[in-house]
Amino acid sequence: MKTDIEIALDADMLPISEIAEKLGIKEEELEPYGRYKAKLSDKVYKRLEAKPNGKLILVTAINPTPAGEGKTTTTVGLGQAMAKINKNAIIALREPSLGPVFGVKGGAAGGGYAQAVPMDDINLHFTGDMHAITAANNLLCAIIDNHIQQGNELNIDQRRILFKRCMDMNDRALRNVVVGLGGKVNGVPREDHFIITVASEIMAILCLATDIDDLKDRLGNILVAYDCDSKPVYARELGVVGSMATLLKDAIKPNLVQTLENTPVLMHGGPFANIAHGCNSIQATKLGLKLADYCITEAGFGSDLGAEKFLDIKCRYAGFHPDTIVIVATLRALKYNGGVPKADTAKENVSALKKGLVNLGAHVENMRKFGVPVIVAINKFGTDTQAEIDALSEYCDSLNVEYSLSEVFAKGGDGAIDLAEKVVKACEEPSDFKFMYDTQMSVKEKINAIATKIYGADGVNYTAAAEKMIAEIETLGQDKLPVCIAKTQYSLSDNPALLGRPENFSITVKEVRLSSGAGFIVVLTGDIMVMPGLPKEPAATKIDIDSDGNISGLF
């Protein structure tokens, strides 16, 4: 079989104007970025605002493993399959970050014959949204340091600057740095930090903002520092909100691309789910619900992270909720959860599979707690045996949950027709959507609700630093916001080594940070890095381009 990049470069793409025309988008509402990608102006949503919403389908997954799950591939393939059964569907995805593209994970446009294209553009600079977010973030950082250099009228305590610089690349050397060295003319020396762009509050703000005015309000509400009297300093006090919003004037507009089978895709925003809220923009999802009868979106990593944040944060602010949730798994990944080394996951091992199925069971139970119908999608591999499939079937029957074997990687939309039909049926089932917690609860009560109800923890421990930070948030009157827990994606617990369905554990909260602009409280557990590092052999060492402009090694 061809590689992902080879399949993508051979794709028979339609001009983006034709994709837009099929959606009923007018020429003046389309802003092309070349021949196969475009941005959509806010005129589209304004024109369609009174139109009833289509059905919303959320695709999530079990905890990720080295064996792979294929959540984005399933999302894309399901969208393609909807067209095969004559349903009007659109896909809403996050944009990839250059960090994973050149690091370990690779790109985020799907795989095999279920990809969003142009895959190379999407995984690289795309329409420049990531760069705009980085620039807006670092403009605020530059203004903070310049303000201190030029007299510090706001009396900012340089030891308590909270807002960090960012870049869209994995670079561990920049996690902890000292800036302002070189004498008086170069600024005031202080400790600083870099985070990856997708973990920045600007990224979260872009994804949660409903329009440019809301964007500006949220930018102004960013808590950037405390002054020497321990009073908060907000971005609006630095007079730079207008400039930041200007840098984001195009980035706030959703991007339109297509799949290998010409299904329309809205791709916008890209926060990580283990260190941020893990969902594409509210604007893109809202627009998708107006443009098609079915909008298929995804949330990052396992349902304990991306889906919980989609449901408790994004849905809360956006005012919508999914009609069906699809949980993606592979038999290989479930065997890994049952204790099989990655190298042996292709071998039949029914006993290990049965042991690992409890991870799938936890995710099914957790998503049902939100009151939404659930379906399991199994990415099928050629090495999956009938005995293993029978064990899966028996387990799903015991949970009274529908499952479908998906082969979208090899067959595209044809490989998910059964899944598409089951999703359509599930969308007609009654639902009783509810949040996992009330925002009026205390910060600790909200954290405890997620830890016990979703992770399965016995309780929550707090460091002295976390206790102090929670007290500060309460003093500011910002404790009634949703919580966004940063946690390892590899386990339901905060320990990545605890696979399957851990029991008899507690989680430890190390830090609590206020993202007042985004509108949530970030809770850091375990050893979560907001600036990832590169592996010993980065994916970047395998990517190349020839004299004719053909890219290889991108995946």
Side-chain angles (χ1 to χ4, degrees), residues 115-291:
Q115 295 187 59
V117 287
M119 178 266 232
D120 50 342
D121 285 356
I122 290 169
N123 281 318
L124 298 175
H125 301 286
F126 200 24
T127 57
D129 293 348
M130 293 289 181
H131 301 312
I133 293 165
T134 303
N137 184 99
N138 292 342
L139 169 62
L140 179 54
C141 292
I143 290 293
I144 293 168
D145 281 307
N146 184 64
H147 182 88
I148 295 172
Q149 171 77 357
Q150 302 294 347
N152 200 6
E153 182 181 344
L154 293 173
N155 198 27
I156 293 172
D157 186 343
Q158 67 195 56
R159 300 163 301 179
R160 299 194 68 191
I161 295 173
L162 307 176
F163 198 76
K164 298 174 175 61
R165 288 172 162 82
C166 74
M167 65 181 295
D168 189 34
M169 191 61 64
N170 295 357
D171 192 346
R172 62 170 53 86
L174 294 178
R175 289 173 184 161
N176 302 290
V177 297
V178 176
V179 297
L181 298 179
K184 185 176 180 180
V185 72
N186 292 315
V188 177
R190 68 176 182 89
E191 181 182 357
D192 201 2
H193 311 272
F194 273 78
I195 60 176
I196 193 165
T197 297
V198 289
S200 70
E201 188 172 357
I202 305 296
M203 171 63 80
I205 286 171
L206 184 89
C207 290
L208 294 171
T210 53
D211 54 34
I212 195 73
D213 291 329
D214 186 32
L215 176 76
K216 291 173 71 174
D217 286 343
R218 290 174 179 272
L219 291 173
N221 288 335
I222 297 172
L223 176 64
V224 297
Y226 285 94
D227 68 14
C228 293
D229 297 318
S230 296
K231 295 178 181 178
V233 179
Y234 295 94
R236 58 178 173 268
E237 299 175 66
L238 291 161
V240 73
V241 169
S243 293
M244 293 169 68
T246 301
L247 283 171
L248 298 170
K249 70 179 181 66
D250 292 321
I252 195 174
K253 300 172 184 176
N255 305 294
L256 178 66
V257 288
Q258 62 191 288
T259 72
L260 292 170
E261 297 178 12
N262 311 124
T263 304
V265 180
L266 295 171
M267 187 168 275
H268 193 220
F272 282 175
N274 58 343
I275 51 181
H277 75 286
C279 315
N280 72 329
S281 73
I282 284 177
Q283 282 193 311
T285 306
K286 275 189 167 182
L287 186 57
L289 289 169
K290 300 297 182 183
L291 289 171

Side-chain angles (χ1 to χ4, degrees), residues 211-536:
D211 54 34
I212 195 73
D213 291 329
D214 186 32
L215 176 76
K216 291 173 71 174
D217 286 343
R218 290 174 179 272
L219 291 173
N221 288 335
I222 297 172
L223 176 64
V224 297
Y226 285 94
D227 68 14
C228 293
D229 297 318
S230 296
K231 295 178 181 178
V233 179
Y234 295 94
R236 58 178 173 268
E237 299 175 66
L238 291 161
V240 73
V241 169
S243 293
M244 293 169 68
T246 301
L247 283 171
L248 298 170
K249 70 179 181 66
D250 292 321
I252 195 174
K253 300 172 184 176
N255 305 294
L256 178 66
V257 288
Q258 62 191 288
T259 72
L260 292 170
E261 297 178 12
N262 311 124
T263 304
V265 180
L266 295 171
M267 187 168 275
H268 193 220
F272 282 175
N274 58 343
I275 51 181
H277 75 286
C279 315
N280 72 329
S281 73
I282 284 177
Q283 282 193 311
T285 306
K286 275 189 167 182
L287 186 57
L289 289 169
K290 300 297 182 183
L291 289 171
D293 297 329
Y294 295 89
C295 179
I296 306 162
T297 190
E298 69 167 11
F301 291 126
S303 75
D304 54 318
L305 287 170
E308 184 275 317
K309 294 169 185 177
F310 180 97
L311 298 164
D312 277 324
I313 298 176
K314 181 175 177 178
C315 289
R316 200 184 299 264
Y317 280 121
F320 54 55
H321 64 80
D323 295 279
T324 300
I325 297 175
V326 177
I327 299 175
V328 179
T330 66
L331 298 187
R332 291 183 178 191
L334 291 168
K335 284 184 282 187
Y336 183 86
N337 268 283
V340 174
K342 178 188 175 184
D344 296 330
T345 54
K347 300 174 184 177
E348 182 180 285
N349 193 327
V350 176
S351 61
L353 173 63
K354 288 181 177 180
K355 185 179 177 182
L357 278 166
V358 294
N359 186 266
L360 173 61
H363 290 283
V364 170
E365 291 174 25
N366 286 343
M367 292 299 95
R368 281 178 166 167
K369 290 174 183 176
F370 289 93
V372 179
V374 173
I375 293 175
V376 172
I378 299 293
N379 259 338
K380 191 174 185 298
F381 284 77
T383 54
D384 296 345
T385 68
Q386 190 58 50
E388 291 173 332
I389 294 170
D390 289 343
L392 167 77
S393 180
E394 182 180 342
Y395 186 76
C396 288
D397 285 346
S398 72
L399 296 176
N400 193 28
V401 64
E402 287 269 18
Y403 79 94
S404 180
L405 298 177
S406 170
E407 298 181 83
V408 295
F409 186 89
K411 299 180 180 179
D414 285 330
I417 290 176
D418 177 67
L419 176 61
E421 290 173 342
K422 287 177 176 175
V423 164
V424 169
K425 183 179 178 182
C427 283
E428 302 306 321
E429 294 178 11
S431 64
D432 181 26
F433 178 75
K434 48 187 169 290
F435 298 115
M436 198 51 52
Y437 56 82
D438 187 327
T439 53
Q440 294 306 304
M441 296 164 64
S442 71
V443 175
K444 286 188 175 181
E445 286 174 330
K446 286 178 280 199
I447 296 170
N448 189 70
I450 296 172
T452 57
K453 296 178 184 179
I454 300 298
Y455 307 157
D458 295 331
V460 184
N461 303 314
Y462 296 86
T463 64
E467 294 273 12
K468 182 180 179 182
M469 293 171 183
I470 291 173
E472 287 180 346
I473 291 170
E474 291 171 342
T475 300
L476 292 173
Q478 302 264 26
D479 54 311
K480 303 309 179 188
L481 296 173
V483 293
C484 179
I485 301 183
K487 180 184 75 70
T488 178
Q489 64 269 34
Y490 299 114
S491 172
L492 286 163
S493 73
D494 58 355
N495 179 353
L498 298 181
L499 303 180
R501 189 171 190 170
E503 296 178 340
N504 304 315
F505 71 93
S506 59
I507 68 168
T508 299
V509 174
K510 293 187 173 182
E511 292 182 55
V512 179
R513 301 172 183 170
L514 176 61
S515 289
S516 52
F520 53 65
I521 297 163
V522 179
V523 179
L524 284 86
T525 70
D527 296 319
I528 290 295
M529 292 290 185
V530 290
M531 169 55 84
L534 292 170
K536 186 174 182 179

